[in-house]
Amino acid sequence: VSTMSAKASSGGKEESSGMRSETLGESGCSEDIKRRQVILVAYLIATLELTFLFMQMGVMPYLAKSLGLDSVGFGYLQTTFGVLQLVGGPVFGRFADQFGTRAALILSCASGSAFFLLMSISTSIPLLFLSRLPAVFMHGLPGAQKVITDLTTPSQRADALGKLGLCFGIGIIIGSALGGVLSTKFGIFVPTYVGLVGNLINTMIAMVWIPLQAKPKSDHHVMEHSNVFSIRDILRLMKFPGVMEVFIIKVFAGLPIGLFLIMFSIISMDFFGLEAVESGYLMSYFGVLQMVVQGLVIGKLTNHCTERTLLRLSVFVFAGVGLGMALMRTVWHYCIIAVPLVFAFSMMGTITDSILTKAVPSSDTGTMLRICASVQPLTRTVGPTIGGVLYKQFGVSSFGYLQLIVNIGLFVYLLKSKIPLREMKSQ
């Protein structure tokens, strides 16, 4: 009897254990589905915000010109935007750490709504400058990156974050074309109304679909005492072997072209003589190139070549792009130059980020990525003013000559120097 009761007892335990494991499996599966849904929503929010941002970028030079702003004044307007983004980045990061990613994304989308609202009533130059103010909290892409980082394992993270490049490409293609078509057919302010409504919808999406707390509870203590941005961290990381040299190459190799691209909306209007819709199509072409290069070319090359080789290749191609730009006369020339330009930009960004994050301890990779991410806002800060002066005083060819000279110098330096890099194929 005792044996039978023991068997019954053990059978009952096995059955209850099986039911518990089945329940845990189901709950784990449902949690995984929810995480994937939230990540897809993050991609959607980032794509919409970038679409509206590129839409206004295509329209802005025409709006500024209609209000009497020249190329130098437009440079100051772009600088204002860059400064606000640069200052707001660390503040936005701290806000996300303190109040959660959902609150941060809602803040970003709501700021986008205010941005387009002010832009839609900009009937004078002071109002146009005032409309830049909400840009301090417009950081939809970093917000989406944080959602994805919180909800993915380290092995999934690179692939999930890489797909944000696709969102960026879609934003350029749709936003640039849409801005040109709407402003040409319906009026210069219509894209601002679309951007306002779109950002309000984006705000609602973030409120409904992004959970209050995306990050698993066990991970919260890791971020509690971390600094969002500090000079001490930058100086400490720059002391690691090879970091300072590679970071300098990252900043200066694409700087002259970066200045050109910041001024491109003015150049497309004055130098190429394009209308808003044609300028939008050109930017869309740029977006398609970026998606093709990022999706099909970069991955294959990083699997077959060492990082040192690819770094040298990027600088060499950048020098060739500089020569092409110095000789460029028509928009068709630019369409040809855009192919190596996009390749060099994408390769330089991918390779330098990879080298720099490998050169520092794993606990510092997040800080290193934030430092790398600051290069673009920094270029947007100083670029428009310098670019405006270069364009007005020396013309479009000056960007090409500067690009050529800088990258020839960097290429010679890379050939002669012994920067300590891991001589392995990127994985």
Side-chain angles (χ1 to χ4, degrees), residues 289 291-303 343 347:
L289 281 179
M291 287 174 66
V292 171
V293 169
Q294 198 77 42
L296 300 178
V297 180
I298 302 294
K300 289 181 180 178
L301 282 176
T302 53
N303 286 330
F343 168 80
M347 182 60 77

Side-chain angles (χ1 to χ4, degrees), residues 204-226:
M204 296 300 294
I205 292 171
M207 291 173 72
V208 173
W209 288 100
I210 301 295
L212 278 170
Q213 205 56 265
K215 181 176 286 193
K217 291 180 182 177
S218 58
D219 292 344
H220 281 292
H221 67 279
V222 177
M223 293 297 293
E224 277 175 6
H225 301 294
S226 65

Side-chain angles (χ1 to χ4, degrees), residues 11-333:
K13 285 180 181 177
E14 285 177 8
E15 190 178 340
S16 63
S17 169
M19 287 175 69
R20 275 200 304 271
S21 63
E22 191 177 332
T23 306
L24 286 170
E26 286 177 0
S27 66
C29 183
S30 66
E31 280 182 13
D32 188 49
I33 291 169
K34 283 180 182 176
R35 285 188 180 196
R36 288 181 184 179
Q37 286 177 343
V38 173
I39 289 171
L40 285 173
V41 171
Y43 288 140
L44 176 63
I45 290 171
T47 303
L48 288 173
E49 183 154 320
L50 287 165
T51 297
F52 301 134
L53 193 62
F54 281 108
M55 187 173 66
Q56 71 85 29
M57 282 181 181
V59 172
M60 182 53 67
Y62 300 92
L63 177 58
K65 190 175 183 180
S66 71
L67 295 175
L69 207 60
D70 63 6
S71 59
V72 175
F74 183 74
Y76 293 141
L77 185 70
Q78 296 287 76
T79 298
T80 303
F81 185 85
V83 169
L84 288 167
Q85 288 259 292
L86 187 64
V87 171
V91 178
F92 182 83
R94 174 62 69 192
F95 182 88
D97 288 337
Q98 293 292 323
F99 300 101
T101 315
R102 179 175 180 264
L105 277 174
I106 291 169
L107 175 65
S108 176
C109 297
S111 298
S113 302
F115 176 85
F116 280 101
L117 176 63
L118 288 171
M119 193 174 160
S120 69
I121 58 170
S122 295
T123 52
S124 64
I125 292 173
L127 274 174
L128 194 61
F129 273 87
L130 184 65
S131 72
R132 309 290 93 184
L133 195 58
V136 73
F137 293 123
M138 286 169 60
H139 298 278
L141 192 60
Q145 285 176 330
K146 192 168 189 325
V147 171
I148 292 163
T149 303
D150 289 349
L151 294 177
T152 53
T153 61
S155 60
Q156 301 169 326
R157 199 162 296 155
D159 180 54
L161 288 172
K163 287 173 183 171
L164 279 172
L166 187 65
C167 300
F168 195 84
I170 293 169
I172 293 179
I173 294 166
I174 298 175
S176 303
L178 191 61
V181 170
L182 289 175
S183 61
T184 303
K185 289 189 176 293
F186 304 105
I188 198 76
F189 284 104
V190 171
T192 65
Y193 304 143
V194 173
L196 171 59
V197 174
N199 272 277
L200 288 171
I201 292 170
N202 229 6
T203 307
M204 296 300 294
I205 292 171
M207 291 173 72
V208 173
W209 288 100
I210 301 295
L212 278 170
Q213 205 56 265
K215 181 176 286 193
K217 291 180 182 177
S218 58
D219 292 344
H220 281 292
H221 67 279
V222 177
M223 293 297 293
E224 277 175 6
H225 301 294
S226 65
N227 290 325
V228 174
F229 205 76
S230 76
I231 299 298
R232 188 180 297 174
D233 277 342
I234 296 174
L235 295 175
R236 178 175 60 82
L237 294 179
M238 290 298 158
K239 291 177 183 177
F240 284 97
V243 170
M244 177 70 82
E245 294 93 331
V246 174
F247 187 73
I248 287 172
I249 291 167
K250 181 181 181 70
V251 171
F252 287 100
L255 182 61
I257 292 291
L259 300 178
F260 169 82
L261 291 175
I262 286 167
M263 296 302 298
F264 181 72
S265 49
I266 287 287
I267 291 168
S268 66
M269 186 168 53
D270 292 347
F271 184 75
F272 294 134
L274 301 181
E275 297 295 329
V277 66
E278 296 166 330
S279 180
Y281 291 147
L282 188 59
M283 285 298 292
S284 295
Y285 164 70
F286 205 93
V288 171
L289 281 179
Q290 184 173 10
M291 287 174 66
V292 171
V293 169
Q294 198 77 42
L296 300 178
V297 180
I298 302 294
K300 289 181 180 178
L301 282 176
T302 53
N303 286 330
H304 290 89
C305 305
T306 62
E307 289 174 338
R308 187 185 297 274
T309 302
L310 293 175
L311 186 61
R312 288 172 177 170
L313 176 64
S314 302
V315 172
F316 181 76
V317 173
F318 259 143
V321 168
L323 179 61
M325 286 189 62
L327 302 173
M328 178 177 67
R329 293 294 177 268
T330 69
V331 70
W332 298 110
H333 294 163

